[in-house]
Amino acid sequence: MSKYSIAEFIKNTEQEDKGEGLFELETPRMLEVNLNGMIWAKAGSMVAYNGKIKYEREGILEHGLGSMFKKALTGEGASLMKANGQGKLYLADGGKKIIILQLQNESIYVNGNDLLAFEPSLKHEIKLMKRVAGMMAGGLFNVRCEGSGMLAITTHYEPLTLRVTPGKPVITDPNATVAWSGNLRPEFQTDISFKTFVGRGSGESIQMRFEGDGFVIVQPYEEVYMQQANS
């Protein structure tokens, strides 16, 4: 059906309480937060809200990384905001698919551009990928979340999770890498032979190499903010 009366359209698209708790997927690309207190959210992700909610932006540089990395920041992907109060808050990020994860005394790294929201019960630390600071124009930051609580991540289209097992490393394109288990420490490598096939523009292809025992989440899309500095 492509035509609706106004009443039919409202019925098919209106907000619905599902009773799922703090985080609910109102649609696959819209997160409803039933707020009664505080959460962290990606700066600029608020679409709508009702109730009494205050917002306070916190820049990544307030986490002690230093102003020398300021030029590496691109867009909104490096900033978080606090949403504090009571009401319903609706978050989205460029129409990306939203996945809610429940951590149970676990840890996960999420690309700074792909973290939508998380509970304050999760300890978070913003990390800089120092080894590629000279090679990449942006997208250098990821966030490590640890503890018990919910977080919401975003992906372009359907994500794929790859298992990393001892002796069988997984190599990924940083532009398509969304998240990985908190015990993994990726190494960055370049492959000149792939330069005409992989990545954007000319030059060496930068890859992430995961070794150990864990998982990596990738998406079928290359984020445009992670371009080579010389492209």
Side-chain angles (χ1 to χ4, degrees):
M1 183 176 181
S2 59
K3 296 181 181 180
Y4 297 90
S5 68
I6 290 179
E8 289 171 333
F9 181 76
I10 291 173
K11 181 179 179 181
N12 286 331
T13 61
E14 69 180 337
Q15 180 268 334
E16 177 185 359
D17 282 322
K18 300 176 183 178
E20 295 175 354
L22 178 63
F23 285 179
E24 294 184 7
L25 283 183
E26 195 61 36
T27 75
R29 304 176 196 280
M30 183 83 71
L31 179 69
E32 178 184 280
V33 182
N34 295 296
L35 193 63
N36 185 16
M38 190 273 279
I39 63 151
W40 288 98
K42 182 178 180 179
S45 63
M46 189 273 288
V47 172
Y49 73 94
N50 60 40
K52 294 184 178 180
I53 302 174
K54 291 184 178 180
Y55 303 93
E56 178 183 348
R57 181 171 174 141
E58 180 170 79
I60 191 170
L61 299 179
E62 295 177 31
H63 287 261
L65 291 175
S67 59
M68 65 178 291
F69 301 120
K70 192 171 185 178
K71 292 182 180 179
L73 304 184
T74 56
E76 296 294 322
S79 296
L80 296 170
M81 67 177 182
K82 295 177 183 178
N84 206 333
Q86 290 184 318
K88 290 186 181 294
L89 171 61
Y90 298 93
L91 303 176
D93 185 13
K96 293 164 70 177
K97 182 179 176 67
I98 299 170
I99 300 103
I100 300 172
L101 300 176
Q102 174 75 55
L103 298 190
Q104 297 178 330
N105 196 26
E106 297 165 298
S107 61
I108 189 171
Y109 284 93
V110 183
N111 185 301
N113 197 55
D114 300 320
L115 182 60
L116 181 62
F118 58 95
E119 289 189 77
S121 60
L122 294 175
K123 177 183 177 183
H124 74 284
E125 184 178 3
I126 297 175
K127 301 277 191 176
L128 174 69
M129 299 181 191
K130 295 179 182 178
R131 292 196 176 186
V132 291
M135 291 185 271
M136 308 292 279
L140 303 176
F141 297 94
N142 55 63
V143 183
R144 187 178 194 271
C145 292
E146 181 178 13
S148 296
M150 285 189 289
L151 76 158
I153 64 175
T154 59
T155 66
H156 287 278
Y157 310 107
E158 299 296 327
L160 174 69
T161 300
L162 302 172
R163 291 287 305 177
V164 181
T165 56
K168 294 184 178 180
V170 172
I171 315 299
T172 67
D173 182 341
N175 301 290
T177 305
V178 175
W180 57 94
S181 48
N183 60 307
L184 297 181
R185 301 290 184 273
E187 293 289 331
F188 288 86
Q189 64 184 35
T190 58
D191 192 329
I192 298 174
S193 65
F194 278 7
K195 67 181 181 180
T196 56
F197 304 106
V198 181
R200 300 176 180 278
S202 61
E204 297 178 356
S205 166
I206 301 171
Q207 302 166 345
M208 297 177 77
R209 181 185 181 92
F210 295 88
E211 292 193 69
D213 188 1
F215 63 86
V216 183
I217 302 171
V218 293
Q219 61 186 2
Y221 185 93
E222 290 184 281
E223 295 275 10
V224 296
Y225 69 90
M226 283 190 70
Q227 294 181 345
Q228 294 189 5
N230 62 355
S231 62

